[in-house]
Amino acid sequence: MIVEDSDMTFNNAVFDTDRDLLIEGYWQTEKYFADHKARIAKAFSFPEFDAGSQNHLLADKIKSHNAVSVHIRRGDYLKISNTSGICTEEYYDKAIRHIIEKCAPDMFVFFSDDINWCENHFKSLGQNLSVEFVGWNSGTNSFRDMQLMSLCDHNIIANSSFSWWGAWLNNNPNKTIIAPTRWMNGPGWPDITPDEWIKI
């Protein structure tokens, strides 16, 4: 049995055996599967949106813009103090400024488990840009948020595996991904985000 280190660093030992192996942990780094990226992206393809649905209409709008997804996870993170934590408003402000300067987007699409909070804090972006707040996908349809994230040209993610995958599955070859430098409260976790992603 191999138990993942607490800082989630890449551990090549999982490949150094030809016997059955029990592994325990999150193993959240593409270093375990980067050599199979195309195969994994194909396996994680999404079903089509229902024609005329809210998601279908938004997907068409995203495809016609230089769009950035922004994922803000609050909910359960507001209750956790010792192992994780929400990304700060300062993080999102810096990330948005950086991506505007670097990518000149004309659309931002916000995803959150607290979409009302997002509307209150980021509605001013709509003065100069198209801004959408997605709050209708929940329960068994939650994966649709990830699907919409993956359709955007660029992504600003939370310290969340949900938006991590939304950004990773984005197949834009010129995508810019911004991720938080601090993934959890504490040191470490250097291998979670791919090297080409921008850490703020």
Side-chain angles (χ1 to χ4, degrees), residues 31-197:
K31 292 180 179 180
Y32 292 113
F33 53 84
D35 291 343
H36 306 281
K37 186 168 185 174
R39 182 180 172 192
I40 290 171
K42 183 178 180 181
F44 278 73
S45 60
F46 297 97
E48 295 292 328
F49 293 120
D50 292 335
S53 67
Q54 220 170 349
N55 286 323
H56 183 264
L57 294 173
L58 180 56
D60 283 347
K61 188 174 181 179
I62 287 171
K63 292 172 186 176
S64 67
H65 285 74
N66 181 16
V68 178
S69 77
V70 183
H71 181 226
I72 299 176
R73 180 173 172 178
R74 287 170 55 80
D76 58 329
Y77 274 15
L78 294 172
K79 304 172 185 176
I80 303 172
S81 60
N82 61 341
T83 59
S84 190
I86 61 170
C87 294
T88 64
E89 289 179 57
E90 181 184 16
Y91 162 71
Y92 286 106
D93 288 341
K94 285 182 178 179
I96 289 169
R97 286 198 304 270
H98 183 89
I99 215 158
I100 286 174
E101 292 174 5
K102 180 176 173 57
C103 305
D106 55 7
M107 181 179 186
F108 280 87
V109 188
F110 286 84
F111 302 87
S112 179
D113 52 6
D114 192 350
I115 204 66
N116 291 331
W117 184 92
C118 295
E119 289 179 3
N120 289 333
H121 285 77
F122 298 102
K123 61 186 176 184
S124 62
L125 281 173
Q127 295 173 1
N128 302 306
L129 301 160
S130 177
V131 180
E132 297 285 343
F133 297 95
V134 181
W136 55 82
N137 294 314
S138 60
T140 57
N141 285 325
S142 294
F143 75 94
R144 293 299 194 179
D145 278 1
M146 185 186 293
Q147 182 174 5
L148 290 165
M149 290 178 198
S150 73
L151 295 176
C152 292
D153 295 280
H154 315 285
N155 311 87
I156 296 172
I157 72 169
N159 52 334
S160 164
S161 57
F162 190 86
S163 51
W164 187 102
W165 278 104
W168 194 86
L169 291 169
N170 175 352
N171 63 9
N172 174 16
N174 300 311
K175 67 184 178 182
T176 293
I177 311 297
I178 297 181
T181 300
R182 189 190 72 175
W183 196 259
M184 295 184 181
N185 287 336
W189 303 282
D191 292 331
I192 286 182
T193 51
D195 293 339
E196 65 270 19
W197 292 9

